[in-house]
Amino acid sequence: MSIETILAFAIVAGLVTLSPGPAVLLALRNGVAHGIRSAMWSSLGNVSGLFCLSAAAMLGLGVLLKSSAFLFGVVKVLGALYLFYIGLRHVFGHASALNPAVDPTSGTSTPRPLVLYREAFLMAATNPKPILFLTALFPQFISAHAPLLPQFFVLTGIYMGLSFACLSGYALVAVRARKVLFKPNFAKWVNRVVGSVFIFFGAALLALRRPTA
């Protein structure tokens, strides 16, 4: 692959990773509630999910999602339900989000790394939008005259690296704002807003239409 192709893909992928979405919101929440280390596990779970989606796009699942209304609907509903689940837990105070009764530096209420990893992984893996995006994007940068596997690892590695750096950056910003966000009244409303936004993302995912050829 040429340097120009790699740079062009990196620019496009970078713009996509910077745009707000469920993964960014999750990174902000974990950064504020649990600190940068916990947010790193969440970011790692997200990029692992992206790797699976990238592989699925390469294997043709994106084309199948475009052609099968049933499969597209199943994946979409599962992703939306998971976002609703996370959002409602925040709204009703059952999520491990901002708890003003807990010292944010104590770490006593921090979930296990596997829990944070799994939550982010499932959120990424149940979202059909990245598969459709990667299915449309990869052919623009992959050469049919070169081995496919090395190109897949290069492009996927760039996408994962940019996503991890972006999510970690958002989490770091959130950590810097912890003192303000942990004020009791403010924390309560932040939890409600975070939950409402997750529910909005779920509704937006349900409204997503299957692309037509």
Side-chain angles (χ1 to χ4, degrees):
M1 300 182 71
S2 67
I3 298 297
E4 292 79 8
T5 299
I6 293 175
L7 287 177
F9 178 82
I11 291 172
V12 174
L15 292 174
V16 171
T17 58
L18 284 172
S19 60
V24 170
L25 185 61
L26 192 64
L28 291 171
R29 186 209 72 179
N30 287 334
V32 173
H34 310 302
I36 191 65
R37 288 187 179 181
S38 295
M40 290 292 184
W41 281 104
S42 176
S43 300
L44 185 60
N46 180 264
V47 298
S48 298
L50 289 180
F51 177 82
C52 294
L53 296 182
S54 179
M58 278 289 191
L59 293 173
L61 183 56
V63 175
L64 185 58
L65 286 174
K66 288 182 179 180
S67 59
S68 172
F70 175 75
L71 179 60
F72 180 82
V74 169
V75 175
K76 181 177 71 170
V77 169
L78 288 176
L81 288 177
Y82 190 65
L83 290 174
F84 286 148
Y85 168 75
I86 296 176
L88 290 173
R89 282 177 60 84
H90 279 82
V91 170
F92 292 107
H94 299 304
S96 57
L98 307 185
N99 183 358
V102 177
D103 180 2
T105 62
S106 66
T108 55
S109 65
T110 302
R112 290 178 300 169
L114 181 60
V115 173
L116 295 166
Y117 176 92
R118 183 180 59 204
E119 181 182 41
F121 177 85
L122 288 174
M123 181 179 293
T126 55
N127 189 349
K129 291 179 68 175
I131 299 180
L132 299 175
F133 167 74
L134 292 171
T135 301
L137 186 65
F138 276 162
Q140 313 302 320
F141 297 93
I142 287 180
S143 172
H145 305 291
L148 179 61
L149 195 59
Q151 296 181 83
F152 163 75
F153 281 115
V154 169
L155 297 182
T156 302
I158 292 173
Y159 191 43
M160 291 173 64
L162 289 172
S163 296
F164 186 84
C166 175
L167 294 176
S168 299
Y170 275 115
L172 187 59
V173 171
V175 169
R176 301 295 184 185
R178 290 173 82 174
K179 290 184 179 180
V180 174
L181 296 175
F182 263 93
K183 291 181 179 180
N185 290 333
F186 194 63
K188 179 177 66 175
W189 283 104
V190 168
N191 279 330
R192 292 176 179 176
V193 170
V194 168
S196 299
V197 174
F198 270 119
I199 293 171
F200 169 78
F201 282 134
L205 187 55
L206 279 180
L208 180 68
R209 294 186 177 182
R210 181 171 60 91
T212 56

